[in-house]
Amino acid sequence: MSDERVLVAGGGIAGLTLALTLHQIGVPVQVYESASRLEPLGVGINLQPNAVRELCDLGLEVNLAGIGVATQEYGFYTKTGLEIWNEPRGLLAGYAWPQYSVHRGQLQMLLYRTVIERLGPDSVITGTRAVGYENTGDRVRLTLSTGASPVSDTSEGTVLIGADGLHSAIRAQMVPDEGPPIWSGAIMWRGATRGRPFRTGASMALIGHATQRFVCYPISEIDPSTGQALMNWIAELAFDPSSGWNREDWNRRADKADFVDEFVDWRFDWIDCLGLIEATDEVFEYPMVDRDPLDAWTDGRATLMGDAAHIMYPVGSSGASQAIVDARKLGRAFLDHGVGPDALLGYEEEMRPATARMILANRGSGPDAVMQIVEDRCGGVFDDIEDVMPHEERAELAAGYKKTAGFGIDALNAAPPIIPPGARIGATT
């Protein structure tokens, strides 16, 4: 076991995956989480095969299968319900690993329980928020806040990883003049309710175009007694971003009356979008935001990962997957360079340019751009999609994003493990 200690600010998917990775390679770690108690909060997310591979390498293959739905297909449809593009996903697409649709809170709780089981009950300190840091030669000092006190404690380690999300205090210290996240003008209303899955029973659908869309997929197995599953859905509308985002909260309980009238005609023979909205008791509202790519993530013995490093629009289902890959790449950097600034810089050199490309690609709607292209060309109504957008053009758009996001089928299947089996690190400086 190494004498070095890594401090992690944030106990979300990124921070907990990093804790498991560091334990795997023999590096002590301490996680600080601002929530006083971790609970299974949130809505549905998707884990691409590149992220599923990493979680399987952490020994979570059976656990993932127990909480997720192995996605079988991914499709784009017009506002009138016509199919634009549909492709197999996960194992059916030829990947060596599945793609999973899963409740974000259940995934976080799985990671948290596993961290506690493997690293011990004191490995994650809750109710403790990171507020700043100081490089002190061969150490880094993390300033912490608990309760109402602005500063109540400090902790020292060899390096600090800011995994503290969209409103990262670590990033704010690195980039003090950055300002708030950038609102795109779109608002997402999200909910989950019991309903009958469509098409294969494990399909994901994106319907509409750039200024109005509906996304839906199951995040639980089908109950054989009812034929229903827990269906995650997102209704999205675009507004003028020049007015700015003026809500007090970033994820507030919403009134369905704010948006439901825009989807009254969205009932198709294969999915009832309006019915799902109406059947949902609790709906949450989120502004679609991101931040500009940074010129640097690392300051001495501190660096960033996950949303703290590269918050991006939820396009292409790659946000949570990228956080998991970040954690594994950091672990590999420690193996290659030791626990110190050289590892942080090596990790950043590899990951920052790649995630910058993803941020910019998602601003262009990523693979979702196909829906607006069809809307522009025919208003979403056609007899044959080939007359509107040939197969080759649609396929090229889909393949290009997979490559950008790091989950091209052949490249991923052929890639060696990020963390070699049995790899451990000794004491380093």
Side-chain angles (χ1 to χ4, degrees):
M1 179 73 76
S2 170
D3 293 332
E4 310 294 351
R5 185 167 84 138
V6 175
L7 306 180
V8 179
I13 291 171
L16 294 172
T17 304
L18 179 59
L20 291 173
T21 298
L22 294 175
H23 177 261
Q24 180 186 18
I25 64 175
V27 177
V29 57
Q30 181 67 66
V31 179
Y32 296 95
E33 165 55 37
S34 61
S36 59
R37 179 181 177 184
L38 288 180
E39 297 179 317
L41 304 177
V43 287
I45 59 173
N46 280 272
L47 298 177
Q48 301 294 348
N50 57 338
V52 172
R53 175 185 190 176
E54 299 309 319
L55 295 176
C56 290
D57 285 352
L58 283 168
L60 299 176
E61 184 172 5
V62 174
N63 308 79
L64 280 177
I67 65 170
V69 174
T71 310
Q72 294 183 21
E73 68 172 5
Y74 180 82
F76 298 103
Y77 304 83
T78 71
K79 64 188 179 186
T80 57
L82 298 176
E83 181 180 312
I84 298 171
W85 174 259
N86 211 304
E87 64 182 29
R89 280 295 173 115
L91 299 176
L92 294 180
Y95 288 101
W97 303 270
Q99 173 178 326
Y100 280 114
S101 298
V102 62
H103 190 287
R104 184 197 178 281
Q106 290 192 24
L107 175 62
Q108 183 180 14
M109 294 307 295
L110 167 61
L111 295 171
Y112 176 62
R113 290 192 301 269
T114 307
V115 168
I116 297 303
E117 290 168 2
R118 296 181 185 179
L119 282 71
D122 297 328
S123 56
V124 180
I125 299 178
T126 57
T128 306
R129 179 171 55 89
V131 296
Y133 68 94
E134 179 184 3
N135 284 297
T136 59
D138 63 351
R139 308 287 285 174
V140 62
R141 182 179 297 119
L142 176 62
T143 305
L144 301 162
S145 171
T146 58
S149 173
V151 175
S152 54
D153 201 1
T154 60
S155 179
E156 288 196 356
T158 311
V159 295
L160 166 65
I161 312 301
D164 47 344
L166 172 64
H167 299 292
S168 168
I170 307 304
R171 178 171 176 143
Q173 180 172 331
M174 291 182 180
V175 196
D177 299 324
E178 183 176 30
I182 302 167
W183 181 42
S184 70
I187 297 175
M188 298 177 292
W189 291 271
R190 306 190 66 161
T193 189
R194 305 297 298 185
R196 191 171 296 277
F198 48 89
R199 293 178 64 94
T200 68
S203 297
M204 180 175 181
L206 297 89
I207 308 165
H209 48 83
T211 59
Q212 181 179 8
R213 69 174 186 164
F214 190 87
V215 181
C216 189
Y217 51 89
I219 54 174
S220 77
E221 295 296 335
I222 298 172
D223 183 338
S225 65
T226 64
Q228 294 186 332
L230 185 61
M231 302 296 293
N232 181 83
W233 60 262
I234 304 166
E236 179 186 318
L237 295 172
F239 300 90
D240 181 359
S242 63
S243 60
W245 179 252
N246 56 12
R247 302 287 196 191
E248 292 182 1
D249 300 323
W250 286 83
N251 55 314
R252 59 186 287 274
R253 284 181 172 82
D255 184 347
K256 286 186 281 188
D258 290 344
F259 67 96
V260 68
D261 287 349
E262 301 298 323
F263 293 89
V264 291
D265 296 326
W266 289 43
R267 294 182 186 267
F268 312 120
D269 58 4
W270 57 279
I271 185 173
D272 182 357
C273 305
L274 179 63
L276 288 167
I277 295 171
E278 291 178 333
T280 304
D281 294 329
E282 193 171 54
V283 177
F284 290 88
E285 180 183 89
Y286 299 79
M288 184 181 285
V289 299
D290 70 358
R291 292 186 184 274
D292 290 332
L294 292 178
D295 294 331
W297 290 351
T298 303
D299 173 25
R301 292 181 173 270
T303 199
L304 304 171
M305 69 177 297
D307 283 352
H310 47 67
I311 180 69
M312 60 188 73
Y313 294 161
V315 172
S317 305
S318 54
S321 297
Q322 190 58 52
I324 291 166
V325 172
D326 283 357
R328 303 296 282 171
K329 292 290 188 176
L330 259 172
R332 179 56 186 259
F334 291 139
L335 287 172
D336 292 342
H337 302 286
V339 182
D342 287 347
L344 305 187
L345 291 171
Y347 149 78
E348 178 187 333
E349 183 179 2
E350 179 180 4
M351 301 306 295
R352 185 172 55 81
T355 55
R357 289 191 292 271
M358 292 176 64
I359 291 171
L360 299 177
N362 285 8
R363 286 181 178 177
S365 296
D368 302 23
V370 70
M371 295 189 292
Q372 188 59 43
I373 293 171
V374 171
E375 175 70 14
D376 290 341
R377 293 179 182 177
C378 67
V381 179
F382 52 77
D383 293 322
D384 187 345
I385 184 61
E386 287 293 321
D387 296 333
V388 179
M389 191 175 185
H391 181 274
E392 183 178 351
E393 185 181 0
R394 288 173 284 147
E396 183 177 357
L397 187 62
Y401 186 79
K402 292 186 185 73
K403 182 178 179 180
T404 298
F407 58 96
I409 298 173
D410 293 339
L412 180 61
N413 286 349
I418 295 175
I419 305 292
R424 304 276 289 180
I425 190 170
T428 58
T429 57

